[in-house]
Amino acid sequence: MKKTYLLALPLIIGLLTSCQNGKQSSNKSPEKSGPKDTTAMVNDPHSYAQPEKAVVSHLNWDARVLFDSATIVATATWDIKAPEKTDQIVFDTYDLSIQEVKVDGQRADFTLGAFQEDQGRPLTVSLPANAQKVRIDYRTGDSARALQWLSPEQTASGSARFLFTQSQAILARSWVPCQDSPGIRFTYEADVQVPKGMLALMSAQNPQEKNETGQYHFEMPQPIPSYLMALAVGDIRFKAISERTGVYAEQPLLEKAAYEFADLEKMVQAAEELYGPYAWGRYDIIVLPPSFPFGGMENPRLTFATPTILAGDRSLVSLVAHELAHSWSGNLVTNATWNDFWLNEGFTVYFEHRIMEEVYGRDYSEMLASLTRSELKEDAAAMLEERPEDTKLKLDLAGRNPDEGVTSIPYNKGYFFLRLIEEEVGRSRFDTFLRNYFDKHQFEVMTTEAFLSYLQENLLSAEQYERLQIDTWIYKKGLPENLPKVPSQRFAKVAQALEEFMKAGTLPAQKQTAAWTTHEWLHFLHKLPDSVTVNELQRLDEAYHFSQSGNSEILAAWFQPTIRAGYEPIYSRVDSFLVQVGRRKFLTPTYAALQESGRADLAQAIYQKARPGYHAVSRETLDELLDP
Ligand SMILES: [Zn+2]
């Protein structure tokens, strides 16, 4: 998932496999290298599943997608592995109505346990000896939090309805009864019936065009955890970018998306050169309607992406590098529980920067790293006031919604932790280390502790481990003083231009700004001091037309100083943006700025209009933020 931090209120604020030393095949297909136990026996506080009793290995999902009632009616048939003595298996569910359960063809007893706010209910099924298949007939409920049903008006085409899922962190259980823990992997196949005229896509081998029946078959031969289960249904088209990459979107966005992601193949190649073969077959991206709550979601084979990255100038494609990087960090080697989330995201941000460096040069990637660093410092300072425990890399999210762990810390502190090690051992040794790490642990899960052992056994001496304060980075609050620095000459020039504007009122010259990318503009806007006046903002707006920008990153950054200074002309643009876009990263700081600048009335009025169009994960964050 990409940088979708929950903004801490009120400020900005998203088994254990013992290290194997044996040589392993670099063949990425697990079936070819023989059966491998891919399930982690780690206690996951966010799942009712008890994998030590019985665990799933394969899903056969047969589903009908009913737009009129906004429900999915389905049968989930699970292949299970159960020790002889086991007499039950436990699944996670959230607001599912269960019609019938059969075990190996016979009706079976089942119970649904007490409902808990974030976790839903455990579904416990009695098992006879040697049970092999559990079949669950069910339908989804009104509060299926993973599903977002869109009316035609909420889509780009305006002519057809649309459905998409967002399962991370623990929302898969609201559309499939499953063992909803990142430590439990399974393969799947699916048959999905959707209305005629629509295309269905999953995190699996996908069709490239609509058929006449609306019936689609899917296979996912590599084992994945439940949070990577995904489905999108709509009037969707496909356009190839290279032989193994392409883009899906509604017709009006298709060409724009293909242009924006033209470098996709180059990125996959750069990633493979760094850390080994891409393990999943095709790599495609689907551009979703604007209410998608995240920047992107790394669903295997098919990244889900927000249309807010279609800037028209390819300036926001680092998001694609991020989701692509998850094909290794996260999807191939997976955090064992959400407390180890930094293993997914810190590695991915590191890898994202490396891909960007390969494709666009060090100068550019260092500018991104510099932005990452300022964001981290700002967020960590705010979080130390509000929720200091969450500034540790290893989190403790037991009893809380794991979504609360989605902050700058696992992403950016995780990134700088890895960068620190790279700077210590040198790039070439670090790359070899990472490549071996991905290779040895592919299709497995990883705990923080297992990674630290691996790090000690394979890279750092005891002296280095001590000197770099590895345990402090992982288990202590805040940012250690050896946080790597990122010199960016390009930003130094921006800072100088800003200083001249604030001191002497001199606008940065056209000659200079012509070469600025989105990131330089963002740096300029982020660094505007609190003392900036309405007059100065108006001069900037006249010169650079920020209020009319079609680049959502720039627009959202521009909202901050203008709302806070009470720059009247911005409010109508804020209104239309918040009604149109559902990406939480933009919503939270913008609503927060309205509230903090004495315009809570406006925040409430806009939210009332916009809320029905937001995905549940955005609504949950904003309900809390805007609670009167
Ligand atoms: Zn991510």
Side-chain angles (χ1 to χ4, degrees), residues 294-334:
F294 297 131
M297 179 64 209
E298 64 271 23
N299 298 313
R301 290 172 195 251
L302 184 64
T303 283
F304 281 27
T306 168
T308 62
I309 57 169
L310 302 179
D313 59 3
R314 299 178 184 160
S315 61
L316 303 177
V317 293
S318 64
L319 184 134
V320 173
H322 181 94
E323 304 312 330
L324 171 64
H326 270 305
S327 305
W328 286 260
S329 45
N331 298 4
L332 211 52
V333 183
T334 307

XYZ file of all heavy atoms in Angstrom, residues 294-334:
307
model
N -6.760 4.652 -1.287
C -5.309 4.638 -1.154
C -4.656 5.141 -2.431
O -5.329 5.339 -3.439
C -4.819 3.224 -0.859
C -5.323 2.673 0.440
C -5.883 1.418 0.509
C -5.250 3.427 1.603
C -6.343 0.905 1.716
C -5.704 2.925 2.815
C -6.264 1.662 2.864
N -3.331 5.323 -2.346
C -2.602 5.652 -3.559
C -2.577 4.434 -4.465
O -2.935 4.486 -5.630
N -2.163 3.329 -3.880
C -2.118 2.095 -4.641
C -2.191 0.917 -3.696
O -1.943 1.067 -2.501
N -2.549 -0.230 -4.238
C -2.546 -1.456 -3.438
C -1.914 -2.544 -4.278
O -2.301 -2.763 -5.431
C -3.980 -1.816 -3.031
C -4.070 -3.099 -2.223
S -3.227 -2.985 -0.608
C -2.743 -4.704 -0.382
N -0.953 -3.222 -3.649
C -0.077 -4.144 -4.373
C -0.709 -5.506 -4.619
O -0.063 -6.530 -4.416
C 1.223 -4.304 -3.590
C 1.095 -4.944 -2.195
C 0.837 -3.981 -1.055
O 0.322 -2.871 -1.307
O 1.134 -4.342 0.100
N -1.962 -5.569 -5.046
C -2.573 -6.864 -5.308
C -1.745 -7.583 -6.374
O -1.449 -7.005 -7.417
C -4.023 -6.670 -5.719
C -4.832 -6.008 -4.614
O -4.748 -6.417 -3.462
N -5.554 -4.953 -4.946
N -1.355 -8.836 -6.106
C -0.414 -9.507 -7.008
C -0.933 -9.565 -8.450
O -2.120 -9.796 -8.664
C -0.307 -10.919 -6.429
C -0.758 -10.800 -5.023
C -1.735 -9.669 -4.974
N -0.048 -9.380 -9.375
C -0.339 -9.356 -10.826
C -1.121 -8.135 -11.261
O -1.162 -7.810 -12.442
C -1.143 -10.586 -11.279
C -0.359 -11.859 -11.242
C -1.269 -13.048 -11.519
N -0.591 -14.262 -11.145
C -0.141 -15.161 -12.015
N -0.323 -15.001 -13.286
N 0.498 -16.223 -11.600
N -1.818 -7.495 -10.336
C -2.680 -6.384 -10.726
C -2.699 -5.322 -9.628
O -3.512 -5.377 -8.703
C -4.110 -6.894 -10.976
C -5.097 -5.847 -11.491
C -4.683 -5.347 -12.870
C -6.519 -6.409 -11.538
N -1.792 -4.354 -9.726
C -1.787 -3.248 -8.782
C -3.047 -2.417 -8.952
O -3.442 -2.097 -10.074
C -0.545 -2.368 -9.040
O 0.607 -3.028 -8.497
C -0.670 -1.002 -8.396
N -3.696 -2.097 -7.845
C -4.838 -1.182 -7.871
C -4.292 0.231 -7.630
O -3.550 0.439 -6.675
C -5.842 -1.536 -6.760
C -6.743 -2.708 -7.063
C -6.354 -3.719 -7.926
C -8.001 -2.791 -6.466
C -7.203 -4.798 -8.198
C -8.856 -3.867 -6.727
C -8.456 -4.872 -7.588
N -4.692 1.195 -8.475
C -4.114 2.541 -8.325
C -5.179 3.625 -8.389
O -6.198 3.485 -9.064
C -3.069 2.784 -9.408
N -4.906 4.703 -7.692
C -5.768 5.878 -7.717
C -5.554 6.643 -9.023
O -4.421 6.736 -9.511
C -5.448 6.807 -6.535
O -6.112 8.070 -6.745
C -3.960 7.096 -6.448
N -6.604 7.238 -9.588
C -6.396 8.068 -10.779
C -5.708 9.387 -10.437
O -5.306 10.121 -11.351
C -7.822 8.315 -11.285
C -8.693 8.180 -10.082
C -8.027 7.146 -9.210
N -5.529 9.686 -9.130
C -4.876 10.957 -8.785
C -3.392 10.951 -9.141
O -2.730 11.968 -9.013
C -5.031 11.301 -7.282
O -4.395 10.275 -6.515
C -6.486 11.400 -6.883
N -2.852 9.798 -9.570
C -1.445 9.839 -10.017
C -1.329 10.107 -11.511
O -0.228 10.194 -12.045
C -0.654 8.562 -9.658
C -1.326 7.320 -10.228
C -0.471 8.438 -8.178
C -0.431 6.085 -10.133
N -2.454 10.235 -12.193
C -2.379 10.557 -13.627
C -2.163 12.069 -13.770
O -3.096 12.830 -14.001
C -3.653 10.128 -14.349
C -4.005 8.637 -14.247
C -5.313 8.333 -14.975
C -2.880 7.771 -14.815
N -0.917 12.488 -13.581
C -0.623 13.920 -13.583
C -0.452 14.447 -15.009
O -0.438 15.646 -15.248
C 0.638 14.197 -12.771
N -0.301 13.544 -15.964
C -0.124 13.983 -17.352
C 1.337 14.158 -17.728
O 1.658 14.330 -18.901
N 2.229 14.117 -16.740
C 3.654 14.330 -17.040
C 4.534 13.239 -16.420
O 5.736 13.406 -16.278
C 4.099 15.702 -16.525
C 3.886 15.839 -15.023
O 3.450 14.851 -14.393
O 4.156 16.921 -14.489
N 3.929 12.142 -16.015
C 4.656 11.001 -15.436
C 5.407 11.376 -14.160
O 6.365 10.708 -13.786
C 5.631 10.411 -16.459
C 4.915 9.901 -17.692
C 5.862 9.360 -18.750
N 5.089 8.974 -19.937
C 5.606 8.838 -21.145
N 6.897 9.017 -21.348
N 4.844 8.496 -22.164
N 4.988 12.448 -13.512
C 5.763 12.908 -12.356
C 5.412 12.169 -11.075
O 6.098 12.318 -10.077
C 5.564 14.407 -12.156
O 4.193 14.684 -11.904
N 4.344 11.377 -11.091
C 3.954 10.710 -9.845
C 4.078 9.191 -9.936
O 3.465 8.461 -9.190
C 2.520 11.114 -9.469
C 2.294 12.629 -9.310
C 0.830 12.924 -8.998
C 3.183 13.222 -8.234
N 4.928 8.732 -10.874
C 5.005 7.286 -11.085
C 5.821 6.563 -10.016
O 5.907 5.342 -10.045
C 5.570 6.914 -12.478
C 4.600 7.327 -13.565
C 6.936 7.518 -12.679
N 6.385 7.301 -9.061
C 7.096 6.591 -7.995
C 6.118 5.687 -7.255
O 6.504 4.689 -6.659
C 7.776 7.560 -7.033
O 6.815 8.342 -6.367
N 4.839 6.039 -7.309
C 3.830 5.176 -6.692
C 3.816 3.800 -7.358
O 3.672 2.780 -6.705
C 2.449 5.824 -6.788
C 1.347 5.031 -6.085
C 0.473 5.945 -5.251
C 0.488 4.279 -7.079
N 3.996 3.792 -8.664
C 4.017 2.519 -9.374
C 5.271 1.732 -8.979
O 5.214 0.514 -8.749
C 3.972 2.741 -10.894
C 4.171 1.432 -11.628
C 2.637 3.369 -11.282
N 6.396 2.443 -8.859
C 7.619 1.770 -8.410
C 7.391 1.147 -7.042
O 7.852 0.042 -6.750
C 8.779 2.768 -8.353
N 6.653 1.845 -6.203
C 6.360 1.338 -4.861
C 5.539 0.051 -4.933
O 5.894 -0.964 -4.331
C 5.616 2.413 -4.062
C 5.283 2.005 -2.661
N 6.091 2.303 -1.585
C 4.243 1.297 -2.163
C 5.561 1.788 -0.485
N 4.423 1.179 -0.805
N 4.445 0.090 -5.668
C 3.576 -1.099 -5.722
C 4.295 -2.265 -6.397
O 4.155 -3.412 -5.986
C 2.269 -0.777 -6.457
C 1.472 0.384 -5.875
C 1.271 0.328 -4.371
O 1.216 -0.780 -3.810
O 1.190 1.398 -3.751
N 5.070 -1.957 -7.423
C 5.849 -2.996 -8.090
C 6.843 -3.627 -7.112
O 7.015 -4.854 -7.069
C 6.582 -2.388 -9.291
C 7.609 -3.281 -9.971
C 6.943 -4.505 -10.599
C 8.371 -2.495 -11.046
N 7.501 -2.787 -6.306
C 8.487 -3.290 -5.342
C 7.847 -4.274 -4.364
O 8.475 -5.232 -3.918
C 9.120 -2.123 -4.580
N 6.571 -4.074 -4.071
C 5.876 -5.008 -3.180
C 5.822 -6.425 -3.761
O 5.566 -7.382 -3.028
C 4.446 -4.543 -2.936
C 4.294 -3.628 -1.754
N 4.721 -3.973 -0.500
C 3.735 -2.395 -1.643
C 4.432 -2.982 0.339
N 3.839 -2.013 -0.329
N 6.031 -6.562 -5.054
C 6.042 -7.905 -5.632
C 7.147 -8.747 -4.995
O 7.116 -9.972 -5.056
C 6.279 -7.842 -7.148
O 5.328 -7.004 -7.755
N 8.138 -8.094 -4.408
C 9.176 -8.784 -3.645
C 8.900 -8.604 -2.146
O 8.678 -9.566 -1.440
C 10.567 -8.208 -3.990
C 11.073 -8.611 -5.327
C 11.982 -9.607 -5.582
C 10.702 -8.069 -6.613
N 12.202 -9.709 -6.940
C 11.444 -8.787 -7.592
C 9.854 -7.063 -7.042
C 11.337 -8.524 -8.956
C 9.738 -6.795 -8.393
C 10.468 -7.513 -9.347
N 8.942 -7.360 -1.688
C 8.809 -7.095 -0.253
C 7.344 -6.947 0.105
O 6.707 -5.964 -0.232
C 9.571 -5.822 0.103
O 9.302 -4.810 -0.848
N 6.806 -7.921 0.745
C 5.382 -7.902 1.094
C 4.696 -9.091 0.474
O 4.200 -9.967 1.166
N 4.701 -9.140 -0.854
C 3.973 -10.229 -1.504
C 4.781 -11.531 -1.551
O 4.224 -12.613 -1.468
C 3.562 -9.824 -2.921
C 2.629 -8.629 -2.927
O 2.352 -8.061 -1.870
N 2.144 -8.232 -4.092
N 6.096 -11.396 -1.673
C 6.957 -12.584 -1.733
C 7.443 -12.948 -0.330
O 7.387 -14.082 0.091
C 8.153 -12.273 -2.641
C 8.777 -13.406 -3.441
C 7.751 -14.171 -4.237
C 9.848 -12.840 -4.380
N 7.928 -11.949 0.387
C 8.312 -12.131 1.796
C 7.362 -11.231 2.588
O 7.386 -10.020 2.432
C 9.772 -11.715 2.041
C 10.156 -11.989 3.496
C 10.709 -12.461 1.094
N 6.538 -11.829 3.415
C 5.391 -11.119 3.980
C 5.516 -10.927 5.485
O 5.938 -11.853 6.194
C 4.101 -11.933 3.697
O 4.030 -12.215 2.298
C 2.868 -11.173 4.133
